[in-house]
Amino acid sequence: ADPIPTTVTSCSALVKCPLQCVCQIRPWYTPRSAYREAATVDCNDLFITAVPEDLPAGTHTLLLQSNNIARLEQSELDYLRNLTELDLSQNSFSNVWDFGLKSMPQLLSLHLEENRLTELPDSSFPGLSSLQELYLNHNQLRRIAPRAFAGLSSLLRLHLNSNLLQMVDSRWFQMLPSLEILMIGGNRVDAILDMNFRPLSNLRSLVLAGMNLREISDFALEGLRSLESLSFYDNKLVTVPKRALQRVPSLKFLDLNKNPLQRVRQSDFTNMLHLKELGLNNMEELVSIDKFALINLPELTKLDVTNNPKLSFIHPNAFHHLPQMETLMLNNNALSALHKQTVESLPNLQEISIHSNPIRCDCVIRWVNSTETRIRFIEPQSTLCAEPPDLKRRHIRDVPFREMTDRCLPLISTQSFPSRLEVMDGDNISLHCRAMAEPDPEIYWVTPSGVKLIPYAHDGRYKVHPEGTLEIMGISAQEAGLYTCVAHNLLGADTKRITVLVNSSFPHSEASLELVVLDIQPYHILLTWKPHLNAVSSNLTWSSFLLSSSLDTTNVARIPLGTHAYNITRLHQDTEYWACLHVAFVDLQAKVACINARTKEATRHHRFLGDRQCLLTLLALSILLLATGLVARLISHKPTPCSFPLLPPLLAAIPQSEAEGMDGSHMGQTEQKWQQ
Ligand SMILES: *[C@@H]1O[C@H](CO)[C@@H](O)[C@H](O)[C@H]1NC(C)=O
Ligand SMILES: *[C@@H]1O[C@H](CO)[C@@H](O)[C@H](O)[C@H]1NC(C)=O
Ligand SMILES: *[C@@H]1O[C@H](CO)[C@@H](O)[C@H](O)[C@H]1NC(C)=O
Ligand SMILES: *[C@@H]1O[C@H](CO)[C@@H](O)[C@H](O)[C@H]1NC(C)=O
Ligand SMILES: *[C@@H]1O[C@H](CO)[C@@H](O)[C@H](O)[C@H]1NC(C)=O
Ligand SMILES: *[C@@H]1O[C@H](CO)[C@@H](O)[C@H](O)[C@H]1NC(C)=O
């Protein structure tokens, strides 16, 4: 069939256009985005197996996408002296020698994506000395020789994404001194080595998405001094590669979306002087943005932290010195609130998005309704209260916050850690407990054996961070069991538990409960007991035998977890008492241990007794006992012969602030009575 002649409007004369192709002038942009009008021959989607013959001599852009071409000779294109862009994507090339483009010094743009190339040998693209764009994405490239790109000294843009590469070789880049854009994502590369991109001093944009990267070494990004945009989208990074990022001085846009980060930690983003936008979206594991996570980012204008289903905590001081921050996107997280301080720390904030979070409309979020708020809420219609029940689904801006108290109880976020975790013997684990309240809550953890772990105190392989994360280095099978987080402020406490199974099991406590009298005085009795594995709750009850039972009802005190001693105060002198400890365990069992003891007779002698020797003996004994952890086992049931009211080391074991049963006012009353 004869080609049907059509006009190419750029030429004054009639030019033949090959059958089924479309020849017209189309807008065209150079790789540096300069606009041109280009004589374009569009032969896309024709299922042809060879380049059509007799193309218009003035062809600038030749589109041969989605055909079945597997070979191409230089002679087939030789006469197209002005050919600038050649699109051979979605064809059947399997070998780089099958497109014999030996000399096309005018070609700027070559598309070879979605072919079947498996390998690029040395000097794969000879004679393309002006080439600026090369698209090789979506092939099956497993190997690229060190000098594959030799001669491409003008190349600005290289797309190698979605191939089968297993390593990124810095020698490739020595041939590409002008490169500005490199897309290499979607290759299963284990590691980016130090100095991997060093020759690319002109690179402006680097995409390392979907590569399975677990770690970025400290010098991996060395030499990228012009880099402005960097994407680590969809990798396996568990921490922010902060040292590597420090070596990219010009960075403006950073995408860390879809990585399994659990926390954004202190100083993760620091002193990045040109950073304008940061993305921390779609992170399944992200729980918390810790104190001083972002520090001194003088040009940051937009922070995107959205669609993180566990993100339940942003520290009031998470941000420090972000003077240009205008837009804070926090929608679709698990945030119950955002602190006023967080917002106030951003002097230039214009708009904020917190819709689609389980917002608790109480004191923490009260600032939303303050008249000083100059901040625009994005999608106010869907910014709703999730709690308390009576405000559910109310628009947050309509809530009459003024009537509320400015203090509220801590509530531990249900998203921050699971109720059950299975790990292997020797694993390092991190449990993130976060709570928001006013005033800020303090957090501690209690181990299965009842040991209380407080922030900053290093207890062997346990470490509690002030925000509430418990880290256990190399957990052993004996340490499996019930871990409890307690968040408390002056209004009260909230607890949340997690059962940690090591190698699919955890030990049960076999030992029986044992209650021991540590000290007896006329008006108080100090009891102690051995910590029990996996206790869920403990109560202490006591009553006297003698006093009329109708008047003297049984007293109950809830024992805070991690407490193993209790001072029963306001007792009557010389009276027989009966006390019982009730402990409920994680497996729904309960145990009770009881003891009886008689308070002493109040005498003058009592108050001024000062037997130094006895005190020292008792002190030494108690220190020894605490050190060996055998308090309960070694102390006899009989009251000790010494009668000193205070044993300093034991005192330390009794929490003062949050002891729910140890009411300071009661103690005061007892003391008054004592002095009468
Ligand atoms: C190729 O481009 C040059 C400069 O734009 C032009 O003068 C020349 O006519 C073109 N060649 C053909 C065959 O159209
Ligand atoms: C605060 O809430 C009241 C409704 O109780 C509303 O009328 C008022 O406009 C709100 N103020 C601001 C600044 O949003
Ligand atoms: C636990 O952490 C330590 C110190 O960071 C590390 O050396 C060790 O390999 C880790 N163990 C596991 C099982 O990941
Ligand atoms: C736990 O399981 C791991 C892997 O199966 C095994 O190497 C280890 O010895 C087990 N530890 C205990 C205490 O059973
Ligand atoms: C302790 O008392 C609380 C409140 O009365 C109760 O819910 C809990 O079951 C008691 N625990 C034990 C172990 O008796
Ligand atoms: C127990 O309470 C009494 C009376 O309040 C007090 O004097 C004594 O120091 C307390 N003992 C301990 C160990 O706290």
Side-chain angles (χ1 to χ4, degrees):
D2 280 342
I4 301 166
T6 50
T7 52
V8 171
T9 44
S10 69
C11 308
S12 49
L14 279 178
V15 176
K16 278 184 180 174
C17 190
L19 179 67
Q20 290 178 296
C21 298
V22 177
C23 300
Q24 53 189 197
I25 297 295
R26 291 189 187 168
W28 191 80
Y29 291 89
T30 68
R32 288 202 184 277
S33 302
Y35 177 77
R36 281 194 208 165
E37 300 208 318
T40 302
V41 178
D42 181 344
C43 306
N44 287 346
D45 301 297
L46 298 180
F47 304 103
I48 50 179
T49 53
V51 179
E53 287 170 25
D54 294 330
L55 295 164
T59 301
H60 173 282
T61 301
L62 175 57
L63 306 178
L64 291 164
Q65 204 186 97
S66 299
N67 285 298
N68 275 325
I69 305 170
R71 275 190 73 79
L72 176 65
E73 297 293 335
Q74 172 84 16
S75 57
E76 292 176 83
L77 297 173
D78 241 0
Y79 63 103
L80 301 176
R81 297 261 170 237
N82 285 0
L83 190 66
T84 307
E85 173 164 352
L86 175 60
D87 187 345
L88 292 167
S89 60
Q90 298 181 339
N91 277 285
S92 308
F93 292 98
S94 55
N95 191 314
V96 73
W97 305 128
D98 290 338
F99 49 92
L101 302 178
K102 290 181 194 68
S103 174
M104 298 199 83
Q106 78 287 11
L107 199 66
L108 294 186
S109 182
L110 176 59
H111 288 261
L112 284 167
E113 63 265 38
E114 298 188 59
N115 276 281
R116 298 177 196 153
L117 300 172
T118 56
E119 191 181 343
L120 297 183
D122 280 336
S123 300
S124 285
F125 306 95
L128 302 181
S129 57
S130 303
L131 198 69
Q132 296 188 350
E133 294 182 320
L134 177 57
Y135 294 84
L136 290 163
N137 38 313
H138 291 95
N139 276 281
Q140 287 138 38
L141 292 171
R142 286 179 184 280
R143 202 186 87 85
I144 297 180
R147 300 181 52 81
F149 302 116
L152 297 179
S153 58
S154 305
L155 201 69
L156 301 175
R157 178 188 270 268
L158 175 60
H159 288 223
L160 284 171
N161 40 305
S162 303
N163 277 289
L164 301 171
L165 299 171
Q166 289 180 341
M167 55 105 66
V168 177
D169 190 336
S170 69
R171 291 175 295 180
W172 304 336
F173 307 129
Q174 283 164 12
M175 313 291 139
L176 303 170
S178 309
L179 203 65
E180 294 182 357
I181 296 172
L182 175 61
M183 311 269 223
I184 204 163
N187 288 287
R188 289 241 151 182
V189 172
D190 299 331
I192 300 289
L193 305 177
D194 281 351
M195 316 296 170
N196 225 158
F197 302 107
R198 192 171 177 153
L200 299 177
S201 61
N202 290 307
L203 199 71
R204 286 190 293 111
S205 173
L206 175 60
V207 178
L208 299 170
M211 297 181 77
N212 228 29
L213 293 172
R214 284 168 199 282
E215 217 181 305
I216 307 294
S217 69
D218 292 355
F219 296 92
L221 305 175
E222 186 75 24
L224 294 172
R225 56 190 149 83
S226 307
L227 193 69
E228 294 182 354
S229 168
L230 175 59
S231 171
F232 287 115
Y233 175 80
D234 190 17
N235 277 292
K236 299 276 184 289
L237 301 176
V238 294
T239 54
V240 174
K242 60 178 183 180
R243 294 216 172 75
L245 290 172
Q246 288 296 312
R247 316 200 79 84
V248 192
S250 308
L251 198 63
K252 290 184 180 164
F253 305 96
L254 176 58
D255 174 354
L256 277 164
N257 301 337
K258 215 168 176 219
N259 276 284
L261 294 184
Q262 298 189 346
R263 298 157 58 197
V264 180
R265 299 162 193 239
Q266 183 158 354
S267 317
D268 268 353
F269 301 98
T270 318
N271 302 330
M272 299 169 75
L273 301 184
H274 300 291
L275 193 67
K276 288 176 97 68
E277 288 188 20
L278 173 60
L280 300 168
N281 307 307
N282 298 302
M283 302 212 189
E284 292 292 319
E285 301 302 326
L286 185 64
V287 169
S288 154
I289 299 184
D290 292 350
K291 186 175 183 180
F292 296 144
L294 277 67
I295 303 183
N296 191 29
L297 307 174
E299 294 187 4
L300 192 72
T301 50
K302 187 172 184 202
L303 176 61
D304 258 306
V305 189
T306 66
N307 297 298
N308 303 297
K310 292 185 185 169
L311 180 66
S312 45
F313 183 76
I314 295 180
H315 191 280
N317 300 116
F319 309 133
H320 184 69
H321 195 70
L322 311 181
Q324 295 304 323
M325 175 95 110
E326 291 176 7
T327 305
L328 181 56
M329 302 297 287
L330 295 172
N331 48 282
N332 298 79
N333 292 312
L335 293 167
S336 64
L338 183 65
H339 277 279
K340 185 178 187 178
Q341 251 174 292
T342 311
V343 176
E344 285 177 348
S345 70
L346 303 171
N348 204 29
L349 195 64
Q350 314 288 316
E351 52 182 6
I352 190 168
S353 176
I354 53 166
H355 65 84
S356 312
N357 277 290
I359 293 172
R360 198 170 129 217
C361 288
D362 67 7
C363 66
V364 182
I365 199 90
R366 283 172 100 210
W367 59 267
V368 162
N369 191 263
S370 76
T371 41
E372 312 98 82
T373 306
R374 56 185 159 42
I375 298 155
R376 192 176 78 82
F377 280 74
I378 297 170
E379 289 195 41
Q381 268 61 43
S382 34
T383 307
L384 307 172
C385 304
E387 279 187 82
D390 54 317
L391 293 175
K392 202 168 177 160
R393 303 207 60 78
R394 286 274 292 275
H395 287 176
I396 185 167
R397 292 217 109 173
D398 297 340
V399 172
F401 285 104
R402 275 166 213 296
E403 297 156 25
M404 279 184 200
T405 140
D406 55 0
R407 289 176 170 181
C408 43
L409 270 168
L411 266 190
I412 296 174
S413 159
T414 51
Q415 305 298 323
S416 60
F417 61 96
S419 57
R420 192 182 158 91
L421 181 68
E422 293 207 24
V423 296
M424 298 307 288
D425 187 24
D427 278 355
N428 297 332
I429 64 172
S430 290
L431 305 174
H432 308 289
C433 179
R434 295 292 188 276
M436 289 205 186
E438 199 68 59
D440 262 348
E442 282 173 27
I443 291 182
Y444 65 88
W445 282 86
V446 181
T447 67
S449 57
V451 176
K452 182 173 163 182
L453 305 168
I454 59 169
Y456 301 110
H458 286 242
D459 191 331
R461 287 163 300 118
Y462 294 113
K463 185 176 175 190
V464 177
H465 296 262
E467 282 95 356
T469 293
L470 167 62
E471 283 180 358
I472 307 174
M473 298 289 283
I475 193 167
S476 68
Q478 292 75 40
E479 289 163 319
L482 191 70
Y483 285 79
T484 306
C485 172
V486 181
H488 62 102
N489 66 6
L490 51 86
L491 297 188
D494 189 21
T495 60
K496 184 168 161 16
R497 304 187 173 86
I498 175 171
T499 303
V500 178
L501 288 95
V502 177
N503 277 18
S504 307
S505 67
F506 69 84
H508 289 270
S509 61
E510 285 115 35
S512 55
L513 274 186
E514 202 177 351
L515 199 54
V516 174
V517 175
L518 202 59
D519 186 22
I520 286 204
Q521 293 291 330
Y523 306 111
H524 69 263
I525 297 177
L526 186 60
L527 297 177
T528 182
W529 56 90
K530 209 157 70 163
H532 274 75
L533 277 182
N534 304 316
V536 173
S537 75
S538 311
N539 295 338
L540 189 75
T541 59
W542 67 93
S543 55
S544 83
F545 283 129
L546 288 184
L547 297 172
S548 148
S549 58
S550 59
L551 290 172
D552 195 38
T553 51
T554 301
N555 302 281
V556 187
R558 273 181 53 205
I559 305 296
L561 280 166
T563 303
H564 313 118
Y566 191 84
N567 193 4
I568 308 182
T569 58
R570 290 203 295 166
L571 299 179
H572 299 276
Q573 59 144 328
D574 195 21
T575 306
E576 186 85 15
Y577 283 91
W578 178 248
C580 293
L581 179 69
H582 310 254
V583 181
F585 292 92
V586 65
D587 51 8
L588 302 176
Q589 274 188 51
K591 287 182 186 173
V592 183
C594 297
I595 196 169
N596 63 318
R598 186 176 191 88
T599 48
K600 289 193 173 167
E601 229 177 297
T603 60
R604 264 184 166 275
H605 176 67
H606 258 112
R607 279 186 258 160
F608 302 108
L609 188 73
D611 184 344
R612 286 174 150 246
Q613 197 164 1
C614 194
L615 174 64
L616 290 175
T617 312
L618 202 51
L619 260 175
L621 179 67
S622 59
I623 289 166
L624 177 77
L625 292 177
L626 278 169
T628 55
L630 295 172
V631 179
R633 192 174 300 167
L634 293 183
I635 294 180
S636 80
H637 284 222
K638 279 183 249 158
T640 54
C642 307
S643 41
F644 292 99
L646 294 185
L647 306 174
L650 279 168
L651 258 188
I654 303 174
Q656 297 295 326
S657 56
E658 74 289 337
E660 290 152 75
M662 301 174 79
D663 189 332
S665 61
H666 291 179
M667 287 188 185
Q669 281 175 17
T670 315
E671 258 152 29
Q672 273 173 15
K673 222 191 255 172
W674 231 27
Q675 273 148 27
Q676 277 159 17

